[in-house]
Amino acid sequence: RKEVEQDPGPFNVPEGATVAFNCTYSNSASQSFFWYRQDCRKEPKLLMSVYSSGNEDGRFTAQLNRASQYISLLIRDSKLSDSATYLCVVKGNTGKLIFGQGTTLQVKP
Amino acid sequence: GAGVSQSPSNKVTEKGKDVELRCDPISGHTALYWYRQRLGQGLEFLIYFQGNSAPDKSGLPSDRFSAERTGESVSTLTIQRTQQEDSAVYLCASSLVPHEQYFGPGTRLTVT
């Protein structure tokens, strides 16, 4: 079983739609979680951290469910520029980051 | 300020040859990471440096792969006797805090 699992998609949604991505992780002792974004043929960039109480950054909301070992990212009012691959990331025991395979989002006009 | 830089940006090599990939992290970043990303795949962790030491090299796929870091700055990833399955984009990242990694543009390696 992979340490971090995501549905690769692609998710094809119209502009203005709300879309949610999920991610599960295998190590129940994991403490820190993040979402990164990777545009096509570009390097990944930190999108946001995920806090236990849930957190919002503009149109983006991240949530953590420790009991189910599940992380989610919700994007409201999708823009064309949101088209990218979203990487779920868990911090491992040695401090390294463990990246999921990514979920691809295509926002259509 | 300057971001993470990597060189070369593209490298085509023949099977069996050795290659050396370079990463220049953001100045002052103590941690440096190497990842591999095959086409259409996720990031595969290779090795992590804290200063010049490598506390975690568990991701290096075989003894053909090695990496070093000097002066708490530049790092080189060396692949000996390259194989076709080594073809991928090799990404370097640096950070001050572990979760906020800044990635370089990557080196696209093609082994023919």
Side-chain angles (χ1 to χ4, degrees), chain A residues 2 32 34 36 38 41-46 49 51 87 89 91 94-102, chain B residues 33 35 37 39-43 45 48 55-56 58-59 91 98-106 108:
Chain A
K2 291 182 182 174
S32 304
F34 314 94
Y36 272 65
Q38 185 172 24
R41 299 177 80 85
K42 297 283 190 181
E43 68 273 20
K45 292 184 180 177
L46 177 65
S49 301
Y51 301 121
L87 304 169
V89 183
K91 186 177 169 187
T94 60
K96 73 184 184 190
L97 296 185
I98 303 164
F99 286 77
Q101 182 186 0
Chain B
Y33 307 80
Y35 297 89
Q37 189 170 34
L39 189 64
Q41 302 295 312
L43 271 72
F45 168 81
Y48 148 53
D56 191 340
S58 61
L91 288 160
H99 70 271
E100 190 162 3
Q101 295 185 12
Y102 293 84
F103 283 81
R108 185 173 300 276

Side-chain angles (χ1 to χ4, degrees), chain A residues 11-62:
Chain A
F11 284 60
N12 295 300
V13 303
E15 269 187 293
T18 295
V19 62
F21 310 132
N22 302 323
C23 164
T24 56
Y25 60 95
S26 60
N27 185 353
S28 59
S30 298
Q31 294 294 316
S32 304
F33 311 91
F34 314 94
W35 285 99
Y36 272 65
R37 170 188 169 135
Q38 185 172 24
D39 291 299
C40 190
R41 299 177 80 85
K42 297 283 190 181
E43 68 273 20
K45 292 184 180 177
L46 177 65
L47 178 66
M48 60 195 300
S49 301
V50 184
Y51 301 121
S52 298
S53 54
N55 49 297
E56 215 173 272
D57 183 1
R59 296 181 294 107
F60 297 80
T61 301

